Amino acid sequence: MTTPVAGTTTSGDRGSGSDNDGAGKGLASGRVGLLGAVVIGVSCIAPAYTLSGALGPTAAVVGEQLPAIFLVGFLPMLLVAVGYRELNRAMPDAGTTFTWASRAFGPWVGWMGSWGLLAATILVLSNLAGIAVDFLYLLLAQVTGDEALADLTRNVPVNIATCLVFMALACWVSYRGLEATKAVQYVLVTFQVGVLIWFSVAAFGHVGDGTAFDAAAISAEWFNPFAVDSFSSFAAGISLSVFIYWGWDVVLTINEETKGSATTPGRAALTTILVIVALYMAVALGVLSYSGVSDGAHGLGNADIQENVFAALAGPVMGPTAILMSLAVLSSSTASLQSTFVSPARTMLAMGHYGALPPSYARITPRFQSPGYATVAAALVASAFYTVMRVLSEDVLWDTITALGMMVCFYYGITALACVWYFRKELGGGPRAFLMKGLLPGAGGVLLLVFFVQTCYDSMDPSYGSGSQIGGVGLVFVLGVSVLLLGIVVMIAQRLRRPEFFRGVTVPRGDSTTNLR
């Protein structure tokens, strides 16, 4: 007897969309509406934190075409989100990539797709905690006027201890379920979005007053992606821009806990992406107009400010209110740290539920109806990873985060193509089916997998990332490939211990016309 995928009907085609779809795994159903899901999605993307670290490196690669790259990076995200929406309508399941790719392509592809998701989220959890530590001590230095406090983040034992505290607090909130998560996110997301809008307005104000560092009028050339000097630069810029949009899919992993599980998560995903692209364009245009791309003190070409653009520009742009930017990035990284736990916890919950991981991962806390065991496991792995990497070298830690973009392109691409393959027998059913279930997600998936291959190739260059290398091969490539190879090793070990899932018993392979019962 097979176990049907949660959320499918007896035809295996459409989810019911009821508020009880989470009952199969024990999750609390109907806890989050459209607004709450969008807030959690924006929180997971963490616009203030993401832009602080991505504006500089992206501008260094593509120069004045920063807005163009942000828009081009937005397109595959939008196309992939369409595929996620269609899959969610058919199979609202917290496993998302894991469940959907397993149904479309079989257990091996489904397992590796979920490994890409887990690796990306676990890696970014450690980075988010590290950023929170940096801005905590910077904020304390600004408040007290004691600049020595900002240097505490370079004290490795203090840095690690503070990071672990942040991780534990975020884990505790996430452990208490989506009600606690949602309440925290409303406050933190509203604040960071407000500060980013204020920063953009202030930057344009300086341009208008003639007090900008390197004032420039907005140019149509900034929106021309073909002006980027090489395909490698273009691909590198896209890889970075994919990273800045990444995280919207968290709204799909909470589909079993959402009001209207078959429809609300898809609408929330598209809404989240549109809100983020509007915010990113406002900030990118404001910074370009104010700073330019020279290597001057406040120019985006200055390598000294690229690691954290807001730390360098908040003072000149915002004046005495610059402390708000430190608070915004701190709240952004903290909010994202907490909301990012949602995705790996529910992916591991689904993997435990369907027998791809030990059954302990499928445990639900009776009081909060949340995947407590998986949440704690994600926190422990991320904490251990950060501790080891921070002790070894900060460059190693940052190169691992750079490899994150490879993981994102990998699992997003697999999921988008899973949509095409799962609905392949419906594509001739009319223009909407062909467009929404075939052409759009297929194009998004192919684009992201092309970027994945190109980034893998480019990252073999020792100069990629921090410039570190092993045997003449870039460290970013070594780390990215090592993470994927580790996934294969773990998958084989699980195959030997839990063969039922890998035989297609718990998640049978099929398509949108398959009758599972």
Side-chain angles (χ1 to χ4, degrees):
M1 179 179 176
T2 61
T3 302
V5 178
T8 56
T9 63
T10 53
S11 69
D13 188 18
R14 292 290 181 271
S16 64
S18 73
D19 290 342
N20 297 315
D21 290 335
K25 299 184 184 69
L27 294 166
S29 58
R31 292 290 179 88
V32 182
L34 178 62
L35 178 60
V38 171
V39 168
I40 291 174
V42 172
S43 164
C44 198
I45 293 174
Y49 144 75
T50 301
L51 286 173
S52 71
L55 276 172
T58 308
V61 172
V62 301
E64 291 182 340
Q65 277 66 53
L66 180 67
I69 291 299
F70 277 5
L71 286 175
V72 173
F74 156 75
L75 289 177
M77 292 295 100
L78 182 63
L79 298 178
V80 169
V82 170
Y84 269 75
R85 183 186 64 179
E86 296 302 321
L87 286 167
N88 183 73
R89 281 179 173 173
M91 298 177 283
D93 190 283
T96 58
T97 293
F98 165 73
T99 308
W100 300 335
S102 296
R103 282 295 319 278
F105 297 131
W108 298 93
V109 176
W111 208 99
M112 283 306 297
S114 66
W115 179 262
L117 184 155
L118 290 173
T121 50
I122 294 297
L123 293 181
V124 84
L125 279 172
S126 62
N127 182 248
L128 286 165
I131 289 291
V133 172
D134 290 344
F135 275 89
L136 170 65
Y137 289 114
L138 175 61
L139 177 64
L140 290 175
Q142 290 173 327
V143 170
T144 63
D146 183 359
E147 294 184 4
L149 288 176
D151 294 331
L152 284 176
T153 191
R154 297 185 177 88
N155 183 306
V156 174
V158 171
N159 182 291
I160 291 174
T162 311
C163 177
L164 296 183
V165 170
F166 271 113
M167 197 79 74
L169 289 173
C171 177
W172 177 73
V173 174
S174 188
Y175 184 91
R176 295 175 64 85
L178 286 185
E179 286 291 338
T181 296
K182 185 172 63 174
V184 170
Q185 299 306 331
Y186 276 126
V187 176
L188 297 179
V189 168
T190 300
F191 176 71
Q192 67 170 300
V193 170
V195 172
L196 287 175
I197 293 173
W198 164 234
F199 176 86
S200 303
V201 170
F204 284 120
H206 281 290
V207 174
D209 294 341
T211 55
F213 170 73
D214 189 9
I218 295 176
S219 167
E221 189 70 3
W222 293 1
F223 298 90
N224 178 15
F226 300 105
V228 179
D229 58 11
S230 70
F231 183 73
S232 290
S233 295
F234 180 81
I238 291 296
S239 180
L240 286 164
S241 67
V242 164
F243 168 69
I244 70 174
Y245 289 109
W246 173 63
W248 56 264
D249 54 314
V250 69
V251 303
L252 279 303
T253 66
I254 60 173
N255 51 20
E256 296 186 31
E257 300 155 273
T258 304
K259 298 172 184 176
S261 60
T263 56
T264 300
R267 289 200 298 266
L270 293 173
T271 303
T272 299
I273 294 174
L274 292 173
V275 168
I276 287 296
V277 73
L279 188 61
Y280 282 177
M281 291 306 296
V283 175
L285 291 173
V287 171
L288 265 181
S289 297
Y290 176 89
S291 295
V293 293
S294 72
D295 58 0
H298 296 145
L300 290 177
N302 182 353
D304 292 336
I305 74 168
Q306 286 174 356
E307 186 175 304
N308 192 336
V309 167
F310 288 152
L313 297 185
V317 172
M318 301 175 70
T321 62
I323 192 172
L324 294 178
M325 183 57 77
S326 294
L327 277 170
V329 178
L330 175 60
S331 67
S332 178
S333 55
T334 303
S336 185
L337 174 63
Q338 190 271 306
S339 60
T340 300
F341 270 109
V342 170
S343 188
R346 281 149 184 79
T347 297
M348 289 189 285
L349 167 70
M351 295 177 79
H353 179 76
Y354 294 118
L357 283 178
S360 53
Y361 286 92
R363 291 179 190 167
I364 294 293
T365 58
R367 179 181 175 187
F368 303 113
Q369 291 181 276
S370 70
Y373 184 92
T375 299
V376 173
L380 291 175
V381 173
S383 298
F385 172 80
Y386 182 86
T387 300
V388 172
M389 293 297 103
R390 190 65 179 80
V391 168
L392 288 178
S393 166
E394 198 167 0
D395 284 343
V396 175
L397 178 65
W398 282 103
D399 275 343
T400 308
I401 299 305
T402 304
L404 171 78
M406 296 163 61
M407 304 296 122
V408 175
C409 290
F410 176 71
Y411 87 83
Y412 272 176
I414 286 177
T415 310
L417 295 183
C419 175
V420 179
W421 192 245
Y422 181 75
F423 292 110
R424 64 189 182 277
K425 294 182 181 178
E426 295 185 28
L427 299 184
R432 185 198 179 280
F434 176 75
L435 187 68
M436 307 303 280
K437 298 178 180 179
L439 182 61
L440 296 184
V446 169
L447 282 173
L448 287 176
L449 290 178
V450 167
F451 296 145
F452 168 73
V453 173
Q454 182 67 41
T455 304
C456 286
Y457 176 79
D458 290 339
S459 65
M460 295 177 69
D461 189 330
S463 64
Y464 199 91
S466 70
S468 302
Q469 59 176 295
I470 296 178
V473 179
L475 184 59
V476 172
F477 175 82
V478 172
L479 290 170
V481 170
S482 296
V483 169
L484 290 176
L485 290 177
L486 177 61
I488 294 174
V489 171
V490 176
M491 178 174 62
I492 292 173
Q494 293 303 312
R495 167 64 179 85
L496 296 174
R497 298 183 65 186
R498 294 172 181 82
E500 232 182 21
F501 165 74
F502 291 93
R503 290 173 183 162
V505 175
T506 58
V507 184
R509 186 174 178 180
D511 56 60
S512 61
T513 65
T514 302
N515 190 326
L516 294 177
R517 298 179 183 178

